[in-house]
Amino acid sequence: MLRYGCFKIGTTCSSCGQSLPINGPYRRLSCTACFENMDVSPDIVAGFLNDFEEEYEGLTEGQGRGGTLMSGSGTFKYSYWRLEPCCSSCRTPFSVPEVLGTSKIRCGECSAEYYVFPVPDWLRKLVPSARFCCTPQPQTGDTDDKGVEIDEDSTKPIVMSCPQCAGALSVSARSDRIMECAYCNSEVYIPDAVWQRLHPVRKTEEWFVGFEGKNKIQLQKERRLIDQEEEKKELQKWHRKKTPEKIERKLKSILTVLGIFIALSIMVSVLITLTGNEKQDVSELYSRYAPFFIIPVAVGIPLWLAFKGIFSSQTGKGRECKQALARLAGKHNWKHEGAEYRSSMGYIRVKYRRRDIEIDPDNDYAIEVDASDSPFYIKTEPPGYPHDGVQRFTTGDSRFDSLFPIRYANPELAERIEKSVDEARIVLAPVYWFLDRWQQKLGRFKIGWCDAAVHLAPGHGKMTGSSNKYLLAEDLEPLLEDMIVLAAGIEAIASGREPDLP
Ligand SMILES: [Zn+2]
Ligand SMILES: [Zn+2]
Ligand SMILES: [Zn+2]
């Protein structure tokens, strides 16, 4: 069953400010006032179509919505309605040909012309349910984005004479603004009058899109359910693998307590033996001396546990980390905030190399750098909350997959990653580069939609809740620099550029 939407979209020329209609799924508009071309991001038109699809069920025939969208590429006025194709001047409905080729239809009442053509591939990718368009204005003069071929008779060429040699020049809608005279080879600038005749000022008009099948949101939801199932299974395995580590940690602390207890018992026994009261009952002796070792154990261990965290920034590796942080702050003239607190490493929150960075070794992630519009969402630890619009991928590289039980990317990249291990290495090149340098020490790692963050082991235990976090002093600076390279690499991949990795 086809669903129809009627769209009316317009913007203004970015060069001269004249209103500029978008009467079809077009990415390049040419201004009829200043003749400049203006590129419109594919997301704009696709966004309106997807919004319409999302609202379709809630709309009755003829009902719609409109508004203004302000975006980086301009301001767009839009309206859309749930409406079967009809002539916008006389409202006569027309039947769209069944065959999805390119065709021209004429209104039976007023003979207004409409062009019907399948939606271009770029739009189909962004709006998977869009099938074809029906618009009174076909795309002209755009080589890579031909919506439809225009009949020659609809753009009759105009003949003018060359201002240089008076030779006859035939100018058509496809001609460039400056054309070469075939007789004298001089460059002729086509006068406004001729140009405007060939490129008549267009008004914003209604055009139609036919939709069929599941829309983007439905497809995303379906995919997300499958992804979640897969992730659940994988996380169960992941938890089983991590369990021995947890038990080991618990066992260690129990053994420590036991060890202290036994040592104290032996000490007390030795003391008793040395004092030489052999005749006395052993149990009596224990009841007399027990407080001397039970009280220290009962009071000492909780105290030790409580203060372990507090003193971590003042002893050993923690102290070295705090000092290294202070040196780094001094070197760049950064503020080492919170350093006055004895229990804290302090933190640095600044803009460095045009990026927001945060160094906070006490945190779950010691270093965080921002990365705009990251196409990845990957984490070494659950839980993961991937945003809409990303889908789960599996690289086939077991090292990578077991390191990141949570791994998502935007659909385009996710599909590329799953194509082959080699392709995955290209798409994930910045992450691989980072792993090659730090995987041995990697404690925690994540790439969110707006940042990348890391903590290293042994400075950060692999499990949640472990206290005294720090970074090895010697790791602090190189790790920060590498995180910045990583963030830049992620952004390069996001925008289709080659990442610049040292
Ligand atoms: Zn203009
Ligand atoms: Zn009509
Ligand atoms: Zn000439």
Side-chain angles (χ1 to χ4, degrees), residues 303-322:
L303 269 179
W304 173 65
L305 286 174
F307 283 95
K308 201 170 77 161
I310 293 174
F311 292 121
S312 69
S313 60
Q314 293 173 60
T315 55
K317 302 271 191 256
R319 185 195 165 109
E320 284 168 30
C321 173
K322 193 167 181 175

Side-chain angles (χ1 to χ4, degrees), residues 76-122:
F76 299 84
K77 275 203 155 66
Y78 67 92
S79 314
Y80 48 71
W81 303 267
R82 176 172 171 168
L83 193 65
E84 304 247 342
C86 64
C87 171
S88 54
S89 22
C90 71
R91 292 284 149 203
T92 310
F94 37 67
S95 53
V96 174
E98 289 285 315
V99 192
L100 276 189
T102 298
S103 56
K104 195 162 90 173
I105 50 177
R106 211 178 273 272
C107 169
E109 287 295 316
C110 72
S111 351
E113 282 178 344
Y114 279 81
Y115 297 83
V116 182
F117 53 93
V119 296
D121 288 344
W122 63 265

Side-chain angles (χ1 to χ4, degrees), residues 69 82 100-101 110 112 212 235 254 262 268 280 288 320 329 341 381 431 445 469 488:
L69 172 83
R82 176 172 171 168
L100 276 189
C110 72
E212 200 176 23
L235 281 177
I254 292 169
I262 291 166
V268 172
Q280 260 177 300
R288 193 201 291 175
E320 284 168 30
Y341 301 108
E381 327 264 317
V431 185
F445 182 85
K469 295 172 185 137

